[in-house]
Structure formats: C-alpha cells, structure tokens
Amino acid sequence: MPLFWRIFQLNAVVLVAATALLLGPVTVSTPVLLTEAAVLTVGLAAMLVANALLLRVGLAPLKRLARAMATTDLLRPGARPAVGGHGEGAELIATFNTMLDRLEAERATSAARALTAQEDERHRIAQELHDEIGQTLTAVLLDLKRVAKQAPEPVRGHLYDVQETTRASLDEIRRIARRLRPGVLEELGLTSALNSLTTEFTSSSLSVRRQVASDLPSLGDNTELVLYRVAQESLTNTARHAGATRVDLTLEHTPDAVELRVRDNGRGIDGTTEGSGIQGMRERALLIGASLTLGPTPDGGTQVRLTVPTRHRSQ
C-alpha cells in the first residue's frame, strides 16, 4: 500500500474514533441530537478531505522522487527532480540528485577507461593481423604461385583455386584490420574515413548514400573517433539486422553542434531490446558529452542521431 494511503488511514482512524466518542460517552446531549450528528459528520468529512489534501501536498516531493528513481537511466542522463518543500523530503531529494551526479561522473570515468582500453586492444589485434597473419598469407600466396608454375596441369588448376581462396582470406583479414583500427581516420581525417566506410558497406543489396559537410570545425581526436565508431556500428547493425536496401549517412554542423544521422529503410527497431552495440554507442556519446537518440522513421526504418555540442569543445 502506498505511503499516502497508510498515513491517511491512520489519521482517519483517529478522527473517526474522536467523532464516535463525541457521539457517545463524551457527547453533551443525551440522546444524541440529529443536528449534532449532522454537524459532527460534516466536520469529520471536512477534516478527512483537508487531511488528504495536506498529505498529498506534503508527500508530493517523495512521489516525484520515486518517479525519478524508477525512470533514471545512467545511459540517458535527464533532468533531476526539483528540490521542493522543507525538512527530510527536500533533503532526501537533494541527496538523490547528488548521488546521481556522482554515479554519472563515475560511469563516465569508467567508460572512458574501458573505451580507451578497448581501442588499444583493437589497435594491437589489428597490428598483429596485419603484421603476422597478413605477412604469413602473403608468403603462402607467393609459394603457391611458384609451385603452381612447376606443377602438372591437373594439379595446377587446383593450386590456382587454393591461391584465389588464400587471396580472398587475405583481403578479408585486411578488411577486419581496417575496421578494428581506422588508419584512414588517423591519416586523412573524419571526412575521408566516413567516405571510405560508406564505400565499404555499399553492395549489390545495400545502397549507402552519404552527405558529409566539407567545412567541419575542429573536433579533436576523441570526438572524431566517437563519430566514426557510431557511424560504423549503425551501418553494421543495418547491414546485419535491418533488412534495408538503402542507408543515408549525413554529417552536418551548426554554429553550436555537429550532427551525425544514419537513416535506413529497414524493418525498424520497435519492440526490440537494445544490444551491446547500441549500449556501446550510448557510452561513447556520454564520453564526449553528446546526445544519442534512436527512433523510427516515417517509412518504417530506423534513424540514429548523434548530436555533439561544439561550443567550447577542447577535445
């Protein structure tokens, strides 16, 4: 039972008992006069209504606090419940707001450490794929080419097939390494990296159209990496799960913000549970103080929007 009704019932028991006493042994008239009973009944009803209103006003801060506690999500920072009233209720709301501030700061710090470690690990794996496995497969290709020239005709055809399979595997490993470590982002910048990314996802079944502003403001390495990773994850989700035939990637800017939008014409995300990929995008957005929204499009697809404030940005 809610706290409001528990307190109201306790007060009602006291008031009803007091009224009963007035109508019984404490009454000034015996027998009870009809006018006295009417006055006491009306008075009791008035006191109960006043009690309910006062309790509703007094417990309103706690109700706001309970609603805020039920809807708080550290991946979606929102407004804090207003500190109203006096006494323990206001103190409790202020303490809750302070706790949220501390939790969000601690989560942002831990997310930054985790994402930095993740990027370092991706860099290491990509380097090993390129230096170790890539070079090994390149040597295998050269050996196959030499052996195929010396092999008899029936065997030569099989060796050529193995050579093509090995070459395809080498290309796939290089593609994976590029996704793990976007070297084009470090060398040529965000615009070239997004152009390369959309070209990589374009296929016979998926058309990726891009519109990237050429006069983007200076964003910093961390911000550019977050924008690239969100675009990469959005395109990956579209290619794997959306069943879309068209994706539009747009990167625009205003005097105060840079906005990335990835919009597809797939089946949408209504009713689906957010996976680790979307949660990772939200954590990356929090890392640079950006806001991330996902929602349906008018034609039933999905739109991912990342808005990065640029005013006074230092990283």
Side-chain angles (χ1 to χ4, degrees), residues 120-168:
D120 292 341
E121 185 67 10
R122 286 184 173 187
H123 187 283
R124 183 187 66 80
I125 294 174
Q127 194 71 30
E128 290 184 358
L129 286 175
H130 182 273
D131 295 344
E132 301 295 334
I133 301 179
Q135 292 181 6
T136 300
L137 288 179
T138 302
V140 170
L141 278 175
L142 294 176
D143 290 341
L144 286 172
K145 183 178 181 180
R146 185 179 65 254
V147 172
K149 291 180 179 180
Q150 303 173 357
E153 186 60 34
V155 179
R156 186 179 304 172
H158 293 296
L159 289 176
Y160 284 150
D161 291 339
V162 175
Q163 188 176 354
E164 291 302 318
T165 302
T166 305
R167 182 177 289 108

Side-chain angles (χ1 to χ4, degrees), residues 182-206:
V184 65
L185 177 63
E186 300 174 359
E187 298 167 3
L188 301 179
L190 180 62
T191 300
S192 298
L194 291 178
N195 291 339
S196 175
L197 183 66
T198 53
T199 301
E200 180 181 344
F201 277 92
T202 300
S203 64
S204 59
S205 60
L206 183 64

Side-chain angles (χ1 to χ4, degrees), residues 7-264:
I7 298 177
F8 178 80
Q9 287 183 359
L10 289 175
N11 290 342
V13 169
V14 174
L15 293 174
V16 170
T19 303
L21 289 175
L22 289 175
L23 293 174
V26 189
T27 184
V28 294
S29 301
T30 304
V32 178
L33 298 177
L34 182 60
T35 54
E36 288 181 349
V39 169
L40 290 175
T41 302
V42 172
L44 175 61
M47 287 187 292
L48 290 176
V49 171
N51 180 47
L53 292 176
L54 292 175
L55 284 177
R56 182 66 69 185
V57 173
L59 296 179
L62 295 181
K63 188 174 182 180
R64 292 198 306 270
L65 177 61
R67 184 166 54 249
M69 295 175 69
T71 58
T72 294
D73 186 350
L74 294 181
L75 289 178
R76 299 179 179 87
R80 301 286 189 262
V83 180
H86 304 281
E88 291 81 358
E91 183 179 353
L92 184 60
I93 296 176
T95 302
F96 176 74
N97 290 342
T98 303
M99 180 191 69
L100 279 184
D101 293 337
R102 186 176 68 252
L103 287 176
E104 289 183 358
E106 291 175 354
R107 184 179 183 87
T109 302
S110 62
R113 289 196 298 263
L115 292 175
T116 300
Q118 184 185 75
E119 290 297 331
D120 292 341
E121 185 67 10
R122 286 184 173 187
H123 187 283
R124 183 187 66 80
I125 294 174
Q127 194 71 30
E128 290 184 358
L129 286 175
H130 182 273
D131 295 344
E132 301 295 334
I133 301 179
Q135 292 181 6
T136 300
L137 288 179
T138 302
V140 170
L141 278 175
L142 294 176
D143 290 341
L144 286 172
K145 183 178 181 180
R146 185 179 65 254
V147 172
K149 291 180 179 180
Q150 303 173 357
E153 186 60 34
V155 179
R156 186 179 304 172
H158 293 296
L159 289 176
Y160 284 150
D161 291 339
V162 175
Q163 188 176 354
E164 291 302 318
T165 302
T166 305
R167 182 177 289 108
S169 299
L170 179 60
D171 291 340
E172 180 67 15
I173 287 175
R174 287 172 176 170
R175 184 184 63 82
I176 294 173
R178 287 195 301 270
R179 287 193 178 185
L180 288 173
R181 177 177 177 263
V184 65
L185 177 63
E186 300 174 359
E187 298 167 3
L188 301 179
L190 180 62
T191 300
S192 298
L194 291 178
N195 291 339
S196 175
L197 183 66
T198 53
T199 301
E200 180 181 344
F201 277 92
T202 300
S203 64
S204 59
S205 60
L206 183 64
S207 172
V208 183
R209 301 183 299 186
R210 63 179 177 268
Q211 182 180 352
V212 180
S214 58
D215 55 345
L216 292 172
S218 178
L219 298 174
D221 295 339
N222 286 344
T223 302
E224 289 189 351
L225 181 60
V226 170
L227 285 166
Y228 179 85
R229 289 301 189 195
V230 170
Q232 183 183 50
E233 184 65 31
S234 300
L235 291 175
T236 300
N237 288 340
T238 298
R240 290 181 179 176
H241 310 297
T245 59
R246 188 185 73 251
V247 184
D248 295 315
L249 185 147
T250 305
L251 183 63
E252 301 174 335
H253 75 91
T254 64
D256 297 328
V258 170
E259 184 175 88
L260 170 71
R261 293 192 305 274
V262 181
R263 179 175 178 175
D264 64 59

